[in-house]
């Protein structure tokens, strides 16, 4: 059986050490992050969103859009300040209801958040460059942050029943653009089926775009 | 967050975060890396925490997430099997209680630490680890069984049981 007294004494000796901890605190506080100017970042995000949203029938634009959605959602914001590259990427995030339990799925990794939602009313997941907050209704708000912790863009995801395609509501940095995005379920599409992507605008108008195979 | 508030929380919970990360990763340098990352996230966290308890819950959860992330990172995967979360740590050189615990799979180690050392409830452990309560109960039960088995094997081999 576990000798609790000894275990606790052993654990108490596990320590960073005062000097190391102070060094970490100082390093954290002194961290001078390279940052893009906010207007430049906003413009780049807006450009990325515009690339996805301003869809026309022009076939040449579709592959870029697919890349934006296929990885669901990988938003890449690039720019330089003093020659330093800056970028961010968000992996797939969904909330799924199964057998009365609520699961947060981030990049394929499942976390049962049911108890946290009951206790705290929310669940917070910290990712690299983004955070996900799931509320009691199972709505996930994904907030992308730049390297200096500033919010770049955010979008929400409704909880899914099994087999449902995710619906995302995206708001860009300026908060001026909001649309529902509906992703065609590519996984269920057979090789012969044409995979489509639908975007539903605020006024309810549905735009359907075919995604060329092999792009 | 003010520097003063950050320093208070960092000094209050720094060792706790290190112990959680060490139990998850079984590596002193990796645990330090995780603590540094978590402190940075704390420093950059824009919202105000409601209480000490709130910030502790947040820190524990972020530490577990960061440890998992490190285990899953391509760099770490080249060094350590991805299954480290489930697999035992390297065999202990000395057979004391901490080493016995550290020989368990990662999720057992972390749940044992949070439950027995930090004194969290099963529900709190489950929240920190992003698992269900019944899952944590199972982990704790299996961890205890493994520890009991390890101790009885040690007793058979040496004819001596640790008091």
């Amino acid at each position: 059986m576990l000798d609790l007294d000894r275990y606790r004494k052993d654990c108490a000796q596990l320590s960073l050490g005062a000097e190391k901890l102070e060094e970490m605190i100082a390093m954290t506080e002194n961290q001078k992050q390279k940052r893009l100017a906010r207007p430049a970042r906003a413009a780049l995000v807006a450009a990325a969103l515009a690339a996805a949203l301003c869809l026309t029938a022009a076939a040449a634009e579709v592959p870029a859009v697919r890349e934006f959605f296929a990885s669901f959602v990988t938003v890449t914001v690039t720019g330089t300040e003093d020659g330093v590259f800056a970028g961010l990427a968000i992996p797939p995030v969904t909330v799924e209801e199964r057998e009365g339990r609520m699961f947060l799925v981030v990049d394929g990794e499942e976390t049962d958040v049911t108890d946290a939602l009951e206790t705290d009313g929310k669940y917070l997941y910290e990712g690299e460059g983004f955070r996900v907050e799931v509320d009691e209704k199972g709505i996930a708000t994904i907030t992308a942050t730049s390297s200096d912790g500033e919010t770049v863009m955010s979008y929400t995801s409704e909880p899914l029943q099994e087999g449902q395609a995710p619906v995302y509501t995206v708001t860009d940095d300026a908060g001026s653009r909001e649309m529902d995005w509906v992703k065609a379920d590519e996984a269920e599409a057979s090789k012969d089926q044409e995979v489509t992507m639908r975007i539903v605008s605020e006024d309810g108008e549905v735009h359907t775009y075919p995604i060329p195979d092999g792009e | 967050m003010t520097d003063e508030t950050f320093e208070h929380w960092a000094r209050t919970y720094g060792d706790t975060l290190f112990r959680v990360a060490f139990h998850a990763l079984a590596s002193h340098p990796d645990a330090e890396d995780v603590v540094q990352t978590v402190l940075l996230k704390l420093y950059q966290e824009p919202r105000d925490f409601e209480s000490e308890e709130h910030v502790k819950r947040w820190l524990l959860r972020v530490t577990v997430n960061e440890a998992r992330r490190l285990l899953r990172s391509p760099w770490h995967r080249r060094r350590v099997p991805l299954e480290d979360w489930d697999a035992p740590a390297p065999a202990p050189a000395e057979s004391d209680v901490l080493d016995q615990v550290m020989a368990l799979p990662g999720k057992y180690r972390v749940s044992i630490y949070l439950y027995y050392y930090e004194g969290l409830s099963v529900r709190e452990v489950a929240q920190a680890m992003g698992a269900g309560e019944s899952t944590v109960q199972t982990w704790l039960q299996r961890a205890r069984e493994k520890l009991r088995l390890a101790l009885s094997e040690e007793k058979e081999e040496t004819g001596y049981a640790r008091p």
Side-chain angles (χ1 to χ4, degrees):
Chain A
M1 197 55 195
L2 182 62
D3 183 340
L4 286 177
D5 284 342
R6 280 188 64 169
Y7 175 62
R8 288 179 182 133
K9 282 176 187 168
D10 286 348
C11 283
Q13 289 174 11
L14 277 176
S15 169
L16 281 167
E19 193 178 335
K20 185 75 183 176
L21 183 58
E22 292 305 318
E23 185 185 300
M24 284 182 169
I25 290 171
M27 278 176 65
T28 304
E29 290 176 339
N30 290 334
Q31 183 123 355
K32 301 292 182 194
Q33 304 242 1
K34 294 287 182 186
R35 48 184 295 178
L36 289 167
R38 184 181 174 84
R41 239 188 349 260
L44 287 163
V45 173
L49 287 169
L53 298 176
C54 296
L55 291 174
T56 69
E61 293 188 28
V62 174
V65 173
R66 186 193 186 192
E67 189 181 344
F68 189 87
F69 282 91
S71 55
F72 236 106
V73 168
T74 300
V75 179
T76 305
V77 183
T78 59
T80 58
E81 184 187 33
D82 300 332
V84 178
F85 174 84
L88 63 88
I90 311 167
V93 177
T94 53
V95 176
E96 296 176 14
E97 283 182 76
R98 293 199 298 270
E99 298 171 352
R101 309 289 294 180
M102 202 79 86
F103 294 89
L104 171 65
V105 186
V106 179
D107 203 13
E109 183 187 335
E110 286 189 6
T111 303
D112 187 339
V113 298
T114 314
D115 296 330
L117 296 182
E118 283 175 5
T119 309
D120 299 342
K122 63 185 176 186
Y123 179 84
L124 186 69
Y125 178 96
E126 289 288 336
E128 193 69 41
F130 70 100
R131 77 170 62 87
V132 183
E133 185 170 320
V134 185
D135 70 11
E136 283 172 314
K137 294 174 183 171
I139 296 173
T141 301
I142 302 103
T143 304
T145 52
S146 58
S147 56
D148 56 5
E150 198 171 344
T151 297
V152 178
M153 67 172 286
S154 68
Y155 58 99
T156 57
S157 171
E158 301 277 341
L160 304 176
Q161 302 295 331
E162 212 160 350
Q164 271 186 323
V167 178
Y168 295 88
T169 302
V170 182
T171 308
D172 71 8
D173 197 30
S176 59
R177 187 191 303 271
E178 189 167 329
M179 298 183 80
D180 289 335
W181 295 1
V182 184
K183 178 178 178 286
D185 191 344
E186 294 183 42
E188 288 185 5
S190 74
K191 285 181 181 177
D192 298 331
Q193 268 183 315
E194 185 181 62
V195 178
T196 58
M197 177 174 65
R198 289 180 298 143
I199 295 180
V200 185
S201 61
E202 273 182 305
D203 58 8
E205 193 176 350
V206 179
H207 306 271
T208 305
Y209 302 93
I211 298 179
D213 188 35
E215 291 294 335
Chain B
M1 179 177 302
T2 64
D3 284 2
E4 195 178 36
T5 307
F6 166 72
E7 287 167 17
H8 166 70
W9 281 333
R11 291 188 183 112
T12 303
Y13 296 115
D15 280 341
T16 299
L17 306 186
F18 174 72
R19 291 183 197 119
V20 172
F22 181 79
H23 275 73
L25 299 163
S27 159
H28 203 285
D30 286 349
E32 284 185 4
D33 285 349
V34 165
V35 173
Q36 181 72 77
T37 304
V38 174
L39 290 183
L40 187 60
K41 282 180 181 285
L42 174 66
Y43 191 58
Q44 293 174 339
E45 177 60 31
R47 67 192 166 139
D48 293 324
F49 291 101
E50 295 154 11
S51 61
E52 291 269 346
E53 200 54 40
H54 186 201
V55 73
K56 185 179 179 182
R57 278 204 310 268
W58 184 88
L59 285 168
L60 290 176
R61 203 145 58 200
V62 173
T63 304
V64 170
N65 285 340
E66 284 303 320
R68 277 193 181 130
R69 185 190 315 285
L70 185 61
L71 285 172
R72 294 177 62 200
S73 69
W75 176 81
H76 199 273
R77 266 183 280 177
R78 280 196 291 273
R79 238 171 21 111
V80 177
L82 180 63
E83 297 75 21
D84 189 77
W85 187 250
D86 295 308
E94 295 175 26
S95 192
D96 61 11
V97 177
L98 180 60
D99 290 335
Q100 295 276 8
V101 171
M102 293 307 292
L104 297 170
K107 57 195 176 190
Y108 294 175
R109 300 195 296 263
V110 176
S111 54
I112 283 275
Y113 172 79
L114 293 175
Y115 186 77
Y116 285 113
Y117 188 84
E118 291 297 329
L120 302 189
S121 66
V122 168
R123 168 173 280 209
E124 289 167 332
V125 174
Q127 286 172 2
M129 298 185 70
E133 285 180 53
S134 56
T135 304
V136 169
Q137 280 171 338
T138 304
W139 288 347
L140 288 169
Q141 187 183 350
R142 287 181 184 163
R144 285 191 290 259
E145 284 169 6
K146 282 175 178 284
L147 287 169
R148 192 180 300 121
L149 187 64
L151 199 64
S152 63
E153 284 174 357
E154 185 187 335
K155 184 182 176 184
E156 281 176 17
E157 286 173 9
T158 62
Y160 168 77
R162 191 182 293 120

